[in-house]
Structures are given as C-alpha cells and as structure tokens.
Amino acid sequence: MNASTGDPTDVSLEEARELLVDLVSIPSPTREEREAAKRLVDFFEAHDREVWIDAVGNVRAPADDSVLLTSHIDTVPGDIPVEVEETGDDEILWGRGSVDATGPLAAMAAAAVRTGVSFVGVVGEEVDSKGSRYLVDDRETSPDAVVNGEPSGADGITLGYRGLIAGTYVATSESGHTSRPDPNAIQHAVRWWSAVEERFEGDEYEPIFEQVTTKPVDIEGGVSEDGLSVETTMDVQLRVPPALDVETVREAAEAELEVGTVTWKDKVPPVMMSPRTEVARAFRVAIRQEGADPRLVRKTGTSDMNIYAGAWDCPMVTYGPGNSDLDHAPDERLPLSEFDQSVSILERVARTLSED
C-alpha cells in the first residue's frame, strides 16, 4: 500500500476537532453537500490519500478494504448557530449536524487516515439514500466489513434498524353536495389508512422495534379545479421490523384497500446483525479499552446500513458519537470529549480488523 492509496498518517485530536467544527460550520442540507464534500477532500489530500468526488457527490477515499468507514455528509435543514461552549472540564459543539451525522463523519475521516482503511462520505441519506445506493451499485466487490456512521454514543454499538416502505395513495370520487351520504375520496383515504393502522396495531407491551408502525406524512384533498370531482393524495410510511419483510407488510396494507390506488415508491429492508461478528467483537473490546461499558443498540428508524446489508454479504455495525435523541433537534450538540473518545475507538477497531 502506498501513500496515495492509504498509508497511515498521524492526525492529532486538534486536527480532527478542526475538521469537525469546519464541517458543522458549512451548511450541508440534502442536495447541498458540495462545499462540505470539498472540505473532506482537502483533509484527505493533505494526508496524501487518494480521494475524489464521484458522479453523485460522494467523497471516495479507497484504501485497505478490510473495513470501510462510511457516514453521510448531508444534514436536515435548520440553522443552529455554531458555537464551542466551555462547560467545566469539557467543551460542547453546538450546530446542525454535530450529532447527525457530521460528528460520526469527521471521527471516521480521522480514523481512516490514522489507520489507512477505506472511507466514503455519502450524500442524500436524510432523503433517499442516493449516495449509498449509488455506492453499492458502483463498487465491483463488497468490503470485508462495514462501519456505518450514525450517533450511537461513544459506548453504543448499533446492530439493527427497522425497514421502511413508503407509498402514495390516490383516490377520486364524483363531486356532490356535502349532505350526500356517499363517502368522497377524502373519506376513502381516511378509511383505508384507519384500517391499515388497526391491522398493525401492536401490543402495548411489545417493543416498538418489533412492531410495524404506521405514519401518514402528508395529505391533500378537495374539489378539483373543474368542480366535477373530489381528489385526494396521501403519502404514507410503514416501518418494518426484522421479523417481517417489506413485501409481507405491503401485501397486508394493500389487502385493506377497497377504493383508490397506492403506489409504493421506496422499499428498504430491515437489518439485524449478530453481536458475535468480528466487527461487533472489535467494538466491544475497543470500548472497554477506552474505559467504558459497551451497549448493544437497536434503532426504530432506518439508515444507510439497511442499504449496505441488502447489497453486501459482510459483517457490519453502526457507530458514532452523539446522543441520537438530539437527531434533527433544535438544540443539537456534541461533547468534544465524546468525539475524541470515538476517534480512538474507531482507530482501535480499524487496526484490529485490518490485522485479522
């Protein structure tokens, strides 16, 4: 391995923190990641790493593929003034993305340079996983292992995510006086979705991770412009636990459909990894070596790890500094001591996996 493809070089914690603050300071909502991507490229080039921005905007720094460290560049919208706050014996970085997922992204970039392993910063995770979908299609082979970057806390190892199925319901009915008893398109939409919610209603003692949960995310309806019909469009999402698959959930939702049509536009399979893989083992050891007790985490949402698990037959986990309760929150913030610790843990894990 030569310097252009991944020889390890030193990255101080001060330099890693500088990268983190710079990235948080650059607005990077989905579809506007270019400037943040350039800052990542500059970081890798400064350490003589091969790096480029690919056709969709991902930052690619291939090297030792015994492990791929990857996180997303984009954030949700929201202007949180960037500030490093002194708090006793720690410093707190405030800003959009400090937790989700610029903190994990910067920690992985530093660890990748320190150890000479592969790195990718992907785009579009917050909307449609455009970057990760392109990555799995563009790569000829899978890496030996994957660490996906999302906040788990420096002591947390995320092994599972629920899947997602998203669709759009459309119905049309004849217009008429509102006193008529016949249901209109808006009522048909409400009745279908109420039936879907009832179909998947979980037991109050059943963990959310193991349930199908339903959520309408947008609805529009009313009399058409020509006044001849009532039209309704409703966007919906269902989260799918690992015990089921998205096709089973889709079929069950469609079975409740009596009027109207639904078009499914996004299907992401659930994922649940074993805690006994070499990646999970390496994290448990590294977290203990850093003086913490490892936690195994399952998340009720969906991430790029779902995309990777559906395409690559290799062990993987999700990891990164930050409290996931602050994802997308107006008070998003990250203790820099936790960031430092996560860089060390990622470095230990990458060295262990590259030596195996």
Side-chain angles (χ1 to χ4, degrees):
M1 191 188 322
N2 57 47
S4 66
T5 57
D7 277 343
T9 62
D10 184 50
V11 176
S12 68
L13 285 177
E14 289 74 17
E15 187 178 359
R17 285 188 177 192
E18 181 182 3
L19 174 66
L20 170 65
V21 174
D22 285 353
L23 288 173
V24 171
S25 300
I26 300 170
S28 56
T30 307
R31 307 291 186 257
E32 299 177 27
E33 301 100 332
R34 188 74 179 181
E35 290 305 312
K38 288 179 180 178
R39 177 64 178 91
L40 275 172
V41 168
D42 290 345
F43 174 77
F44 280 95
E45 286 182 340
H47 292 279
D48 298 321
R49 280 285 296 265
E50 178 186 10
V51 62
W52 72 89
I53 297 176
D54 69 18
V56 298
N58 296 331
V59 175
R60 309 271 287 269
D64 180 353
D65 245 3
S66 56
V67 59
L68 169 64
L69 303 181
T70 176
S71 185
H72 62 92
I73 304 171
D74 63 316
T75 70
V76 296
D79 182 16
I80 301 173
V82 179
E83 175 190 4
V84 177
E85 176 188 9
E86 301 281 348
T87 57
D89 58 355
D90 202 355
E91 295 175 289
I92 309 295
L93 172 63
W94 292 74
R96 174 58 79 221
S98 55
V99 171
D100 185 16
T102 310
L105 179 75
M108 287 183 164
V113 168
R114 283 184 174 187
T115 59
V117 301
S118 293
F119 170 90
V120 179
V122 297
V123 297
E125 190 274 346
E126 296 289 0
V127 173
D128 54 11
S129 292
K130 178 180 180 180
S132 60
R133 292 178 192 274
Y134 179 83
L135 181 65
V136 299
D137 288 340
D138 189 58
R139 281 187 58 123
E140 294 182 357
T141 60
S142 70
D144 295 338
V146 174
V147 180
N148 181 55
E150 292 282 359
S152 60
D155 60 347
I157 310 164
T158 302
L159 299 176
Y161 285 92
R162 292 191 299 175
L164 168 70
I165 180 169
T168 299
Y169 171 91
V170 176
T172 303
S173 61
E174 291 184 359
S175 62
H177 196 279
T178 55
S179 65
R180 289 174 53 181
D182 300 334
N184 64 19
I186 298 172
Q187 289 172 296
H188 288 310
V190 171
R191 289 177 181 181
W192 172 65
W193 193 245
S194 295
V196 172
E197 290 179 325
E198 185 176 352
R199 167 66 179 78
F200 291 114
E201 186 174 4
D203 186 284
E204 62 178 314
Y205 300 107
E206 185 179 24
I208 294 297
F209 183 81
E210 297 172 7
Q211 297 181 34
V212 174
T213 55
T214 58
K215 188 72 66 176
V217 294
D218 190 51
I219 186 168
E220 295 181 2
V223 178
S224 61
E225 289 186 6
D226 61 14
L228 300 179
S229 62
V230 175
E231 301 172 342
T232 300
T233 301
M234 179 168 58
D235 293 330
V236 301
Q237 292 182 355
L238 299 98
R239 299 286 176 168
V240 183
L244 297 173
D245 60 75
V246 292
E247 287 304 314
T248 298
V249 173
R250 177 190 63 78
E251 291 171 1
E254 287 184 350
E256 303 296 338
L257 195 64
E258 295 182 358
V259 177
T261 61
V262 59
T263 301
W264 303 106
K265 55 189 176 182
D266 198 6
K267 301 174 185 177
V268 180
V271 57
M272 187 68 211
M273 287 285 164
S274 168
R276 299 180 181 86
T277 66
E278 57 266 40
V279 184
R281 233 179 358 254
F283 268 102
R284 288 198 299 272
V285 171
I287 290 168
R288 291 189 181 105
Q289 288 174 332
E290 289 294 320
D293 294 322
R295 297 178 296 109
L296 300 181
V297 179
R298 305 183 303 176
K299 291 195 175 182
T300 58
T302 306
S303 79
D304 281 340
M305 179 169 155
N306 299 67
I307 306 298
Y308 301 135
W312 294 333
D313 184 18
C314 66
M316 58 187 71
V317 304
T318 290
Y319 175 82
N323 177 358
S324 60
D325 288 343
L326 297 176
D327 289 4
H328 307 182
D331 55 349
E332 192 173 354
R333 62 197 185 277
L334 175 67
L336 291 182
S337 62
E338 183 177 346
F339 173 78
D340 296 346
Q341 186 180 33
S342 71
V343 173
S344 298
I345 289 168
L346 284 163
E347 179 182 2
R348 290 180 184 274
V349 168
R351 292 194 187 283
T352 296
L353 295 175
S354 61
E355 292 168 0
D356 284 350

